[in-house]
Amino acid sequence: MESLLTLGKKAKQVERQLAQASSKEKNDALLSMSRGLLEDSDSIIEANKKDIKNAEKNGISDSLMDRLTLTTERIESMSQGLADIAKLPDPIGIVDSMWTNESGLKIGKQSVPLGVIGIIYEARPNVTSDAAGLCFKSGNVVILRGGKAAFHSNLAIVDSLRKSLSKGRLPETAIQLVEDTSRESANEMMKLNRYLDVLIPRGGATLIKAVVENATVPVIETGTGNCHVYIDQSAQLEMAKDIIVNAKTDRPSVCNAAETLLIHKDVAEEYLPVLEKALNEWNVELRADEAAGEHLTTFTPATEEDWETEYLDYILAVKVVDSLDAAMSHINQYSTGHSEAIVTNDYFTGQRFHREVDSAAVYVNASTRFTDGFEFGFGAEIGISTQKLHARGPMGLPELTSSKYIVFGEGQTV
Amino acid sequence: MESLLTLGKKAKQVERQLAQASSKEKNDALLSMSRGLLEDSDSIIEANKKDIKNAEKNGISDSLMDRLTLTTERIESMSQGLADIAKLPDPIGIVDSMWTNESGLKIGKQSVPLGVIGIIYEARPNVTSDAAGLCFKSGNVVILRGGKAAFHSNLAIVDSLRKSLSKGRLPETAIQLVEDTSRESANEMMKLNRYLDVLIPRGGATLIKAVVENATVPVIETGTGNCHVYIDQSAQLEMAKDIIVNAKTDRPSVCNAAETLLIHKDVAEEYLPVLEKALNEWNVELRADEAAGEHLTTFTPATEEDWETEYLDYILAVKVVDSLDAAMSHINQYSTGHSEAIVTNDYFTGQRFHREVDSAAVYVNASTRFTDGFEFGFGAEIGISTQKLHARGPMGLPELTSSKYIVFGEGQTV
């Protein structure tokens, strides 16, 4: 088992080679890794069975078991993911602006890889190939640290990816797995400033919090989503219903699902019973404040904790507000800054919501579920940033790049 | 004396008001602060005298004393700086791209302030108004923590700025000073994740290192510059001489000054004596490797430490290299990733240097001294980032912004 320091050194050794790889070299390698996963499907599933057996012994939850389990279809989808990444435009080497300064220097701002990216994640083995593919395409060396539960699966996936890489001209060590899944290795990784340029945690709120609080390596905080839908008094009932039902029930376990419904007092009496009926069809449990409870049949009284909670489940907090200002003030107090939506027919209300709500994605008359690299049209997603530095919102390939200034002179001095 | 927590809370309270301030409101306030500094010039100089008296007692160095001292001219220049910032385009509210996704949503990426910015700096009181002005213009609340040596000066400057602010409509607490200059308060500030969106250290290598190693708040690392000039065998002697003399001697105390000269072995014998003579006129001390020493009259033998050192002084390390590859490999090993220059007549050599050197600014045939927000044409500079996340190289107003996606829907659901 190699130490993190060794992995870090090896990563730095190949950093420049990968940064300068041509698009063709990278795409050929991605397609080779894509084919390799299919060829190694049986051995990956075999490794996954070990993880599942351990998980059964440890009695993990059904949803965790679902995330952990690999099938032929899931491996096909991982393989397809790599092939799709190969088709995306290369984000490296783009000079998006170039100008001439007062001294006649031509100054161009060119995209370059970040360098070495660390990914800390949990039980989903598909993150392994997905993150590896995106980092690779953007010319970054990646050091992956998956959760203990998926250890054998991750090892088999990385072995397969590296076997494919070894057939081409780019270095195998562009993709490395941390085999030590102890808490100590995670903590060590968070302080590996010498070898890591950035650390991206992908997983639940506890993991993200631990990384943000302990890391000295620059972190991109992702994916905690306490998202809100506010139904304004001018909202159309049908549209409001469609949006809240979609935002809550389309996939409750993901970060862009709605967790709190805010509704203007003037329409609470008319709309809430209709919304309750629609949400009942999905067995959504309601946690309501007093004013909302007056118009609901079945609910639990909401506590302060409910406004703060990312349920990731068929549960929805409901609150009646007196005004747009009250709604935005609630959102800005409790939101994690991920995605918020308003349903309104009023032009100025929409304008104010766009301007005054401080979240990565602010929607007028659409579901929060659209906050996603694929829905946005990026063709890829490494995560959804909820911090303001470097990247905010869905992160595609360009968000995995930095820049450098290339300057063309003819002898100029200051 | 208010605690950091109190300052943080107050900052967050006005964050949104400042973020939504119009360009006119912000510019009017900047011009008012600019005039105010002139009006308060006497009291600021009075306060500065206290700092100078303390500094004399503590026996600080001449260069530190120079940085600390305020004169009428320096205050005029600080005042002019604020007026200049008022004239720059507002970096907030720019939608630099907008598109329609598959579902017909219009998605725009709009610039917004980062939020609350912490600046940790040392003895230069002019940083106080400079950083305050840039943060203010970009809609960010700023919490300033200057060094103990400049405490009275900083307090007087911030008092003046806030007095001017209080005459307008924008909140005084947009600009706050940490009055506790103890090491503990610096450490507390580095972990103030709840209230600070980003921390920018400005100062010497020791300060920067302490912040990078201890902060859990996202940091933008600035200004450590171990910069290199490489003279290729095809370089024109005159141009090589002008560039190395300028890069070394124009202002040795700043981060974009050259610290190491690399020269190709084929021209070492002819060029080094000429370069030594030119550098002698500026009393530059040379620290040379053996091969370089053979062609120099007066020098100290270089040690490993010399390749690593940012002298910030009239000292230059000199090394003969066998090839472009050897030069780039030295640079990539020892550089802090700030600025590097090559002098060459060869097209392909220049291309390779641009591509393979991994620093914020890579020059072909120009002095490293151009790495500067004003020289680049940004009209402002908060610092020079030597990290890859968020911003790299000279940071102007756009680098003090984040973004949010504003989405215009018509009832879309996923």
Side-chain angles (χ1 to χ4, degrees):
Chain A
M1 196 157 71
E2 289 175 309
S3 74
L4 256 173
L5 284 181
T6 307
L7 298 184
K9 270 180 214 164
K10 285 190 176 176
K12 278 286 162 197
Q13 274 163 13
V14 297
E15 182 185 13
R16 282 170 226 292
Q17 188 186 347
L18 197 65
Q20 291 158 39
S22 70
S23 301
K24 183 164 175 13
E25 286 174 320
K26 290 188 287 187
N27 293 339
D28 286 350
L30 283 163
L31 292 173
S32 164
M33 290 190 270
S34 167
R35 286 188 304 268
L37 280 182
L38 293 183
E39 287 160 15
D40 296 330
S41 187
D42 290 347
S43 61
I44 294 170
I45 286 177
E46 209 52 48
N48 185 245
K49 280 186 184 152
K50 286 191 212 168
D51 287 331
I52 290 173
K53 213 171 152 184
N54 284 336
E56 281 165 352
K57 250 190 261 170
N58 298 329
I60 65 169
S61 72
D62 286 355
S63 68
L64 204 62
M65 188 62 93
D66 175 59
R67 269 176 272 168
L68 177 60
T69 305
L70 289 177
T71 59
T72 312
E73 290 70 35
R74 284 192 175 176
I75 292 173
E76 277 166 14
S77 149
M78 286 159 58
S79 166
Q80 186 57 49
L82 293 174
D84 290 344
I85 292 170
K87 276 180 228 141
L88 292 172
D90 193 331
I92 298 304
I94 297 167
V95 180
D96 67 2
S97 62
M98 190 160 193
W99 66 96
T100 305
N101 83 343
E102 284 195 343
S103 311
L105 292 177
K106 280 210 165 47
I107 304 173
K109 188 175 187 181
Q110 177 181 312
S111 63
V112 297
L114 286 166
V116 183
I117 299 181
I119 313 268
I120 295 195
Y121 54 110
E122 296 179 322
R124 286 171 53 194
N126 62 311
V127 172
T128 308
S129 66
D130 197 29
L134 291 170
C135 291
F136 188 84
K137 174 82 181 201
S138 50
N140 292 292
V141 178
V142 69
I143 298 182
L144 300 155
R145 190 195 173 282
K148 194 175 184 172
F151 174 70
H152 295 98
S153 317
N154 290 337
L155 197 60
I157 293 165
V158 169
D159 277 349
S160 168
L161 298 177
R162 290 175 60 141
K163 194 174 67 185
S164 301
L165 264 182
S166 72
K167 292 174 191 160
R169 294 172 51 191
L170 295 175
E172 274 185 70
T173 40
I175 298 172
Q176 298 186 95
L177 182 73
V178 182
E179 298 190 20
D180 179 354
T181 56
S182 67
R183 186 178 294 267
E184 289 70 37
S185 93
N187 285 332
E188 193 187 345
M189 196 167 176
M190 295 178 203
K191 315 248 182 217
L192 206 64
N193 293 56
R194 186 158 168 202
Y195 297 116
L196 286 181
D197 293 284
V198 56
L199 192 57
I200 306 179
R202 284 188 56 167
T206 316
L207 170 71
I208 311 279
K209 192 160 174 275
V211 173
V212 169
E213 284 179 0
N214 294 303
T216 52
V217 173
V219 169
I220 302 180
E221 194 176 343
T222 67
T224 318
N226 183 13
C227 305
H228 298 73
V229 173
Y230 168 54
I231 300 177
D232 176 51
Q233 73 263 45
S234 71
Q236 300 169 40
L237 177 55
E238 275 305 301
M239 190 183 289
K241 190 181 75 179
D242 289 349
I243 287 176
I244 187 61
V245 168
N246 181 262
K248 180 68 258 182
T249 69
D250 182 54
R251 207 172 156 203
S253 65
V254 294
C255 57
N256 58 19
E259 306 293 5
T260 297
L261 167 66
L262 301 170
I263 186 163
H264 192 278
K265 63 176 166 52
D266 290 356
V267 292
E269 186 176 354
E270 181 191 350
Y271 286 15
L272 277 179
V274 180
L275 302 179
E276 182 178 17
K277 196 172 161 228
L279 290 161
N280 267 347
E281 287 173 29
W282 293 90
N283 293 316
V284 175
E285 180 192 332
L286 303 178
R287 308 265 175 97
D289 76 341
E290 214 182 310
E294 285 174 19
H295 311 295
L296 296 171
T297 312
T298 315
F299 67 95
T300 317
T303 64
E304 179 71 12
E305 208 190 329
D306 285 297
W307 312 132
E308 290 166 356
T309 304
E310 187 186 7
Y311 300 116
L312 298 173
D313 204 345
Y314 289 91
I315 306 173
L316 182 68
V318 187
K319 186 186 169 78
V320 171
V321 292
D322 287 347
S323 63
L324 170 65
D325 280 297
M328 294 195 296
S329 150
H330 180 97
I331 291 171
N332 285 331
Q333 180 175 355
Y334 293 104
S335 167
T336 52
H338 192 296
S339 302
E340 330 294 342
I342 187 174
V343 189
T344 185
N345 266 21
D346 186 75
Y347 173 84
F348 292 103
T349 302
Q351 284 279 102
R352 281 199 59 202
F353 196 80
H354 264 160
R355 184 171 57 238
E356 296 180 34
V357 171
D358 186 26
S359 291
V362 186
Y363 294 87
V364 174
N365 295 326
S367 167
T368 54
R369 285 279 292 124
F370 282 103
T371 305
D372 172 283
F374 296 94
E375 293 290 349
F376 269 34
F378 298 166
E381 182 185 286
I382 189 83
I384 295 170
S385 165
T386 50
Q387 71 179 33
K388 292 187 180 173
L389 214 64
H390 186 71
R392 197 176 190 208
M395 296 170 60
L397 290 169
E399 282 71 28
L400 292 177
T401 71
S402 179
S403 60
K404 72 176 173 191
Y405 290 102
I406 52 169
V407 185
F408 296 80
E410 289 165 270
Q412 283 91 339
T413 55
V414 173
Chain B
M1 196 158 71
E2 290 176 309
S3 74
L4 255 173
L5 283 181
T6 306
L7 298 183
K9 270 180 212 163
K10 285 190 176 176
K12 277 287 162 197
Q13 275 162 12
V14 297
E15 182 185 15
R16 283 171 223 292
Q17 188 187 349
L18 198 65
Q20 292 158 37
S22 70
S23 301
K24 185 165 174 12
E25 285 174 321
K26 290 187 287 188
N27 293 339
D28 285 350
L30 282 163
L31 292 173
S32 164
M33 290 190 268
S34 167
R35 287 188 303 269
L37 280 182
L38 293 184
E39 287 159 16
D40 296 330
S41 187
D42 290 347
S43 60
I44 294 171
I45 287 177
E46 210 52 49
N48 184 245
K49 279 184 183 150
K50 287 191 212 168
D51 287 331
I52 289 172
K53 213 171 154 186
N54 285 335
E56 281 166 350
K57 250 190 259 169
N58 298 329
I60 66 168
S61 72
D62 287 356
S63 66
L64 203 62
M65 188 64 93
D66 176 58
R67 270 175 272 169
L68 178 60
T69 306
L70 289 177
T71 58
T72 312
E73 291 69 34
R74 283 193 176 176
I75 291 172
E76 276 166 13
S77 150
M78 286 159 59
S79 165
Q80 186 58 48
L82 293 174
D84 290 345
I85 292 170
K87 274 180 228 142
L88 291 172
D90 194 329
I92 298 305
I94 297 166
V95 181
D96 66 2
S97 61
M98 191 161 194
W99 66 95
T100 305
N101 83 344
E102 285 195 342
S103 311
L105 292 176
K106 279 209 166 48
I107 304 174
K109 188 175 186 180
Q110 178 181 313
S111 63
V112 297
L114 285 166
V116 183
I117 298 180
I119 313 267
I120 295 195
Y121 54 109
E122 296 179 324
R124 288 170 53 194
N126 62 311
V127 172
T128 307
S129 66
D130 198 26
L134 290 170
C135 291
F136 188 83
K137 173 82 181 200
S138 50
N140 292 292
V141 177
V142 70
I143 298 182
L144 300 156
R145 189 194 173 284
K148 194 174 182 170
F151 174 71
H152 295 99
S153 317
N154 290 337
L155 196 59
I157 293 165
V158 169
D159 278 349
S160 168
L161 298 178
R162 289 175 59 141
K163 194 175 66 185
S164 301
L165 264 183
S166 71
K167 292 175 193 160
R169 293 174 49 192
L170 295 176
E172 272 186 72
T173 41
I175 299 172
Q176 298 186 94
L177 182 74
V178 181
E179 298 190 20
D180 178 355
T181 56
S182 68
R183 186 177 294 267
E184 289 71 35
S185 93
N187 285 332
E188 192 187 345
M189 196 167 175
M190 294 178 204
K191 315 247 182 219
L192 206 64
N193 293 57
R194 188 160 168 201
Y195 297 116
L196 286 181
D197 293 284
V198 55
L199 192 57
I200 306 178
R202 284 187 57 166
T206 315
L207 171 72
I208 311 279
K209 192 161 173 276
V211 173
V212 169
E213 284 179 0
N214 294 304
T216 52
V217 173
V219 169
I220 302 179
E221 195 176 343
T222 68
T224 318
N226 184 12
C227 306
H228 298 74
V229 173
Y230 168 54
I231 300 178
D232 177 51
Q233 72 264 45
S234 70
Q236 300 169 40
L237 177 55
E238 276 304 301
M239 190 183 288
K241 191 181 75 179
D242 289 350
I243 287 175
I244 186 63
V245 168
N246 181 262
K248 180 69 261 181
T249 68
D250 182 55
R251 207 173 156 202
S253 65
V254 293
C255 57
N256 59 19
E259 306 293 4
T260 297
L261 167 66
L262 302 170
I263 186 162
H264 191 278
K265 64 176 165 52
D266 291 356
V267 292
E269 187 176 354
E270 181 191 350
Y271 287 14
L272 277 178
V274 181
L275 301 179
E276 182 178 18
K277 198 175 159 224
L279 290 161
N280 268 348
E281 286 174 29
W282 294 90
N283 294 316
V284 175
E285 180 192 333
L286 302 178
R287 308 266 176 97
D289 75 340
E290 215 182 308
E294 285 174 20
H295 311 296
L296 296 171
T297 312
T298 316
F299 66 96
T300 318
T303 64
E304 179 71 13
E305 208 190 328
D306 285 297
W307 313 132
E308 289 166 356
T309 304
E310 186 186 8
Y311 300 117
L312 299 173
D313 204 345
Y314 289 91
I315 306 173
L316 181 68
V318 187
K319 186 186 169 78
V320 171
V321 292
D322 287 347
S323 63
L324 170 65
D325 280 296
M328 294 195 295
S329 151
H330 180 97
I331 291 172
N332 285 331
Q333 180 176 355
Y334 293 105
S335 167
T336 52
H338 192 296
S339 302
E340 329 295 342
I342 187 173
V343 189
T344 185
N345 267 20
D346 187 73
Y347 173 84
F348 292 102
T349 301
Q351 284 279 102
R352 281 198 60 202
F353 196 80
H354 265 159
R355 185 171 55 239
E356 297 180 33
V357 171
D358 186 27
S359 292
V362 185
Y363 294 86
V364 173
N365 295 324
S367 167
T368 54
R369 285 278 294 123
F370 282 103
T371 306
D372 172 283
F374 296 94
E375 292 290 349
F376 269 34
F378 299 165
E381 181 184 288
I382 188 85
I384 295 170
S385 165
T386 50
Q387 71 178 33
K388 292 187 179 174
L389 215 63
H390 185 72
R392 198 176 188 207
M395 296 171 60
L397 290 170
E399 282 72 28
L400 292 177
T401 70
S402 180
S403 60
K404 72 176 173 191
Y405 289 102
I406 52 169
V407 186
F408 297 81
E410 290 166 88
Q412 284 91 338
T413 55
V414 172

